[in-house]
Amino acid sequence: MEDVPELQPIDIVTQRLRDGAHESVSTSFRAYQRAEPKRRKELLRSMRSVADDRPDVLAPHVHELVPFLTDETRSVRLNAAKLFVALSRANPDTVIDDVDALAGRLADEEEFYYVRARSAEALGYIGADYPQDVATPDLLANLVIGLSFDEPEVREKLAKALAYIALGDPGRLRHRVADLAAHLDAEEELVRYHLCTALVAVGSEYPAALSDAVDALSTRLEDERPHVRGRAAEALGLVARTAPNGSPLSSERLATLAEESDEPFVTERARFATATGKNTAGDTDEIGSLGSIRERTDEIVDEITSPDHECPHCGAAVPENGSPLCPHCGGPY
């Protein structure tokens, strides 16, 4: 009978991980694969804290965590996928050898949709640095097709993955512009934002490729969300630099946006779209460049997802479209 390694307390495993005791950590990871689901989840949550704080110490052991992605328990797989998101965001180098495992979770139509969503998110972070390894024809097809059929939570992560892949290599999506534009009217704000961002990334190097998205982008100038309006204006500004005589598209609406918007993110990009003269796209610090988009993308997503209101009774942040009762104090707002 095969010997079963002793199950060490998680705090001991974590300390040995930080101390660089690789053999002991590897043994513990194998032991936890046979532990009760509750213990497996506890390990993965602890490792996620390590990934947020010291991703470097987990680097030698990332491949040993892959089996948890196919665990028989759904909640364990979800915690594993969240861990791989944290690792991919912190240092894609550590996860590059396990792209196939994440792609397998995304492609599995029977998989729990939150696991698929997190797998897509991790692949997006990796794809920003290694688009040649992530953006295979099959994976891109899964991402694009899923925009039509998946759950809203999955669609948001699929769109995010597409945006990050475009930031890694705009050419990977230059022939998918029409597919992306077809979903710019998605109900979910984050889907609209990420797809507009992907189109700006493509347009930063291939502005003529955005010709198939002009109508859809022009409609987004009326979007209820400022970050979507701003990205749409930014994309149209890139198209304008390849249009005859440099004439801006949707010029009247863009001019109105530039003059009347009280949102700096929108105003700056509307002015960019109506400007004439030298194309500055490609300069790292300029609107319309890959560098400027990539630098602020996570920050903007945080702004989009942050609650817009405070409870008048206790001051806690509350969702804009949630229950009319504060989840913290129970008072109406």
Side-chain angles (χ1 to χ4, degrees):
M1 179 180 296
E2 183 181 356
D3 291 336
V4 178
E6 180 183 358
L7 200 67
Q8 297 290 336
I10 287 176
D11 57 346
I12 292 179
V13 177
T14 302
Q15 187 58 53
R16 289 176 177 173
L17 181 66
R18 295 178 184 277
D19 291 341
H22 299 306
E23 184 175 348
S24 174
V25 171
S26 297
T27 300
S28 292
F29 282 174
R30 290 196 301 273
Y32 269 90
Q33 290 175 27
R34 305 184 184 190
E36 293 296 314
K38 179 180 178 180
R39 301 300 303 277
R40 301 201 295 272
K41 287 187 289 186
E42 289 173 352
L43 173 74
L44 293 168
R45 288 169 183 156
S46 178
M47 291 305 101
R48 204 161 86 217
S49 296
V50 174
D52 290 336
D53 180 37
R54 288 285 309 280
D56 57 300
V57 302
L58 264 174
H61 301 281
V62 170
H63 192 66
E64 297 164 8
L65 297 166
V66 169
F68 291 103
L69 284 171
T70 54
D71 192 276
E72 63 183 4
T73 302
R74 185 174 74 176
S75 58
V76 173
R77 299 197 303 275
L78 178 56
N79 276 279
K82 289 180 178 179
L83 171 57
F84 274 83
V85 169
L87 289 165
S88 302
R89 181 173 54 236
N91 186 0
D93 291 353
T94 64
V95 194
I96 185 60
D97 291 335
D98 299 302
V99 164
D100 288 346
L102 292 164
R105 294 300 86 223
L106 175 62
D108 186 351
E109 296 180 359
E110 302 300 319
E111 180 58 273
F112 181 41
Y113 63 92
Y114 277 117
V115 175
R116 297 182 61 248
R118 292 299 187 177
S119 297
E121 185 176 17
L123 287 165
Y125 282 123
I126 303 168
D129 283 359
Y130 296 99
Q132 70 280 5
D133 294 292
V134 172
T136 64
D138 286 345
L139 189 136
L140 288 178
N142 283 334
L143 293 175
V144 172
I145 292 171
L147 293 173
S148 296
F149 302 108
D150 268 308
E151 298 283 344
E153 296 84 358
V154 183
R155 289 198 296 267
E156 291 180 357
K157 301 304 184 184
L158 299 179
K160 181 176 181 178
L162 287 164
Y164 273 85
I165 288 170
L167 290 171
D169 181 359
R172 298 278 168 171
L173 291 175
R174 64 181 298 193
H175 300 299
R176 296 275 188 172
V177 166
D179 295 329
L180 303 186
H183 298 282
L184 287 182
D185 61 351
E187 180 179 351
E188 302 84 14
E189 175 187 3
L190 281 175
V191 172
R192 302 196 305 274
Y193 170 75
H194 285 307
L195 294 182
C196 282
T197 300
L199 290 172
V200 174
V202 172
S204 69
E205 291 194 8
Y206 306 98
L210 298 188
S211 59
D212 290 338
V214 168
D215 290 345
L217 287 166
S218 297
T219 300
R220 287 307 100 207
L221 295 178
E222 308 288 343
D223 198 278
E224 62 181 327
R225 297 301 185 181
H227 292 98
V228 177
R229 295 197 301 274
R231 285 291 187 228
E234 191 172 2
L236 289 171
L238 293 169
V239 178
R241 282 151 175 75
T242 63
N245 303 319
S247 301
L249 302 164
S250 304
S251 55
E252 186 174 330
R253 180 59 185 135
L254 286 166
T256 301
L257 274 180
E259 293 172 3
E260 298 182 0
S261 176
D262 58 359
E263 298 281 351
F265 187 85
V266 178
T267 302
E268 293 168 359
R269 283 154 182 80
R271 289 174 179 168
F272 166 79
T274 57
T276 58
K278 182 180 179 181
N279 178 4
T280 58
D283 296 341
T284 303
D285 298 327
E286 296 295 332
I287 292 172
S289 72
L290 289 178
S292 66
I293 301 168
R294 188 165 180 172
E295 182 178 346
R296 290 202 60 201
T297 290
D298 283 343
E299 172 193 337
I300 290 171
V301 171
D302 287 342
E303 291 180 16
I304 291 173
T305 56
S306 295
D308 295 328
H309 301 284
E310 290 184 356
C311 173
H313 306 288
C314 69
V318 293
E320 181 179 7
N321 298 314
S323 165
L325 300 179
C326 175
H328 299 275
C329 71
Y333 69 90

